[in-house]
């Protein structure tokens, strides 16, 4: 038997063990329910990941909706595409809170969108909803954490929710089924490079 044959046999044996482990975990995972996913951290890609999941769900024929906080006045490539595919968007019209510098106006705008979120969380026809940048609204006190917790806990059993944004509250992290933290290693903006349409927004 050649060295290549021996290497192939060893590789095949290792992969077989991996397959058996994966198959065993799949067999154990029998519970079906809607998921709460949180994508947080200081790196770029949280909203991108959330919208990617919405696109995936739409591709499977799921009914989806999106609520956007913070970036509401920017042209949005995801919205341009997904609204044509029947995805509802509710957008906080004030844009970046550091531009408005008006807590009362921002709170009112956030509450208006949050009421739409509450409606979504009661809608049994919605399979997946994305609350983009909701973490900031909780951190700033524009939306009450207990209100968010209650609405999440009483949503339809098979509805999945994605929450994005930096500094996710520890209670939301504890509640979540899946939490991903996006780490900032390097960002073009820090080197003075302008945000690029179609890549950054």
């Amino acid at each position: 038997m050649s060295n290549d044959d021996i290497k192939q046999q060893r590789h095949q044996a290792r992969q077989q063990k991996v397959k058996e482990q994966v198959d065993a975990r799949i067999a154990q995972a029998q519970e079906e329910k809607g998921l709460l996913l949180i994508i947080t951290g200081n790196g770029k890609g949280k909203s991108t990941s959330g919208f990617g999941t919405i696109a995936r769900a739409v591709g499977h024929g799921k009914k989806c909706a999106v609520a956007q906080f913070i970036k509401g006045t920017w042209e949005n490539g995801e919205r341009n595409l997904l609204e044509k595919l029947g995805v509802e968007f509710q957008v906080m019209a004030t844009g970046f809170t550091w531009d408005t510098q008006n807590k009362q106006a921002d709170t009112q705008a956030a509450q208006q969108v949050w009421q739409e979120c509450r409606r979504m969380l009661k809608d049994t026809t919605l399979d997946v909803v994305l609350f983009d940048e909701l973490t900031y609204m909780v951190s700033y006190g524009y939306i009450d954490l207990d209100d968010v917790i209650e609405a999440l806990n009483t949503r339809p059993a098979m509805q999945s929710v994605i929450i994005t944004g930096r500094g996710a509250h520890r209670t939301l992290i504890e509640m979540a089924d899946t939490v991903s933290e996006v780490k900032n290693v390097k960002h073009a903006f820090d080197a003075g490079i302008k945000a690029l349409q179609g890549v950054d927004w």
Side-chain angles (χ1 to χ4, degrees), residues 93 140 156:
Y140 297 163

Side-chain angles (χ1 to χ4, degrees), residues 130-185:
L130 168 62
F131 298 151
D132 188 37
E133 316 280 16
L134 175 65
T135 61
Y136 293 96
M137 302 299 100
V138 173
S139 297
Y140 297 163
Y142 298 169
I143 297 173
D144 183 65
L145 174 64
D146 290 337
D147 197 15
V148 174
I149 292 168
E150 180 187 4
L152 290 171
N153 281 335
T154 57
R155 75 186 194 275
M158 289 305 297
Q159 186 185 80
S160 292
V161 179
I162 309 157
I163 295 173
T164 70
R166 296 185 182 201
H169 194 281
R170 64 183 178 276
T171 303
L172 295 176
I173 289 174
E174 289 167 3
M175 288 175 61
D177 298 289
T178 299
V179 179
S180 296
E181 184 173 7
V182 181
K183 181 181 177 182
N184 185 35
V185 177

Side-chain angles (χ1 to χ4, degrees), residues 19-195:
K19 181 182 184 316
E20 289 170 2
Q21 292 170 353
V22 171
D23 288 347
R25 292 186 68 188
I26 291 172
Q28 289 174 354
Q30 294 300 310
E31 181 182 359
E32 289 189 35
K33 66 169 192 166
L35 301 177
L36 174 59
L37 301 92
I38 293 182
I39 307 165
T40 190
N42 294 330
K44 171 181 162 46
K46 297 179 292 295
S47 296
T48 305
S49 178
F51 277 112
T53 304
I54 292 294
R56 172 184 288 162
V58 170
H60 284 294
K62 305 293 185 183
K63 186 176 178 184
C64 302
V66 174
Q68 276 195 291
F69 302 90
I70 302 288
K71 300 175 188 169
T73 57
W74 277 28
E75 184 187 359
N76 183 311
E78 296 93 340
R79 184 178 181 183
N80 293 345
L81 173 67
L82 293 169
E83 275 191 329
K84 294 173 185 174
L85 299 174
V87 177
E88 174 191 355
F89 273 73
Q90 295 293 335
V91 179
M92 184 171 158
T94 56
F96 293 109
T97 56
W98 50 87
D99 285 335
T100 63
Q101 299 176 14
N102 184 328
K103 184 169 185 176
Q104 183 177 356
D106 287 338
T107 301
Q108 183 176 357
Q111 281 294 322
Q112 287 175 350
V113 176
W114 174 243
Q115 293 313 308
E116 298 298 334
C117 294
R118 287 176 60 87
R119 173 184 54 78
M120 293 174 186
L121 291 169
K122 294 176 182 176
D123 188 342
T124 57
T125 70
L126 284 173
D127 299 298
V128 186
V129 295
L130 168 62
F131 298 151
D132 188 37
E133 316 280 16
L134 175 65
T135 61
Y136 293 96
M137 302 299 100
V138 173
S139 297
Y140 297 163
Y142 298 169
I143 297 173
D144 183 65
L145 174 64
D146 290 337
D147 197 15
V148 174
I149 292 168
E150 180 187 4
L152 290 171
N153 281 335
T154 57
R155 75 186 194 275
M158 289 305 297
Q159 186 185 80
S160 292
V161 179
I162 309 157
I163 295 173
T164 70
R166 296 185 182 201
H169 194 281
R170 64 183 178 276
T171 303
L172 295 176
I173 289 174
E174 289 167 3
M175 288 175 61
D177 298 289
T178 299
V179 179
S180 296
E181 184 173 7
V182 181
K183 181 181 177 182
N184 185 35
V185 177
K186 191 176 185 180
H187 199 299
F189 183 71
D190 295 332
I193 300 172
K194 188 174 180 179

